[in-house]
Each structure stands twice: as structure tokens, then as C-alpha cells.
Amino acid sequence: EVQLVESGGGLVQAGGSLKLSCAASGFTFGSFTIGWFRQAPGKEREGVSCIRTSDGGTYYADSVKGRFTISSDAAKNMVYLQLNNLKPEDTGVYYCVAAEQWRLDYGFPLDLRDYNYWGQGTHVTVSS
């Protein structure tokens, strides 16, 4: 059974940093793409970033490029999202997601419809 468990959310002031962690289990780590989506209050879920665990290839939404960094540790089956220079608009629930790599061979890397495994989410609140 695939499981994704997020941790690391919290309350931080604008300009601050957080590091989110995702513990993945139940699948072969190197054959999946793992990413992060977020959902702000009253808004739709949006893709933030993803990493192809087979070769470390990454993708970022324009809104977080240069501020967020995704990384993975295959030995620990962990994926991390470092959030720097946080803004109030980064507030939301952050979800760790995963998909078999073949689902993302074509098209947009952060298409919500391609990710078939979701964690429960961790809350990030950025105060102004």
C-alpha cells in the first residue's frame, strides 16, 4: 500500500523559512515522480514542485521558482521541500503526491490528474 506522510508545516512570518518532509512507502522509490501540491483557503489545488526520483529531474511552478527547493533521499525514501522567503500567499495545506513515472512522460509535470497517490497534508501559515 502506497503511503505518503507529510510533516514540517507550521506558522511562520513573511520572509521566513520552513522545510516540509514527505515519508514515502509502499512503492519502488526510483520509479515514481513525487511532488507537492498546495491548496489555499477557498482556492483550487495547485502544483508547486515535483521531482523525478529516477534521475533527480525537478520542476517548479513559476510562483515558487527561486524560493522553494525540492530534493529527495532515496536511502530514506524521503522527499523534502525547502520553503524560503515565504509570502502570505504561500499559506495553505501542502500535500505530498506521487505518481508512477510513466504517467508523466508526456504533458505538464504538475497536472493534478496524473497524481494518484496523496498524503493527508500539512498546514503552512505565513503571517504578514
Side-chain angles (χ1 to χ4, degrees):
E1 179 187 2
V2 174
Q3 285 194 326
L4 302 168
V5 180
E6 305 95 334
S7 60
L11 172 63
V12 64
Q13 287 190 330
S17 298
L18 283 173
K19 187 174 184 178
L20 307 183
S21 299
C22 174
S25 62
F27 59 89
T28 302
F29 198 72
S31 62
F32 274 65
T33 290
I34 301 177
W36 293 89
F37 278 67
R38 68 185 180 187
Q39 186 167 22
K43 295 189 176 181
E44 294 185 351
R45 292 184 183 183
E46 64 169 343
V48 175
S49 181
C50 62
I51 186 166
R52 194 168 50 235
T53 58
S54 60
D55 62 7
T58 59
Y59 184 88
Y60 297 92
D62 287 342
S63 58
V64 306
K65 212 172 281 185
R67 299 189 298 122
F68 292 7
T69 303
I70 192 169
S71 61
S72 65
D73 185 336
K76 298 180 179 179
N77 276 21
M78 296 290 294
V79 172
Y80 306 98
L81 187 68
Q82 178 68 44
L83 290 63
N84 294 331
N85 191 21
L86 282 160
K87 304 175 181 180
E89 52 264 42
D90 294 318
T91 293
V93 180
Y94 283 68
Y95 297 92
C96 181
V97 299
E100 294 88 347
Q101 211 148 277
W102 60 264
R103 294 179 183 272
L104 297 155
D105 283 343
Y106 303 99
F108 183 53
L110 290 175
D111 189 333
L112 180 148
R113 297 169 296 180
D114 289 326
Y115 288 90
N116 47 340
Y117 301 105
W118 290 70
Q120 293 300 305
T122 186
H123 289 258
V124 172
T125 303
V126 184
S127 62
S128 57

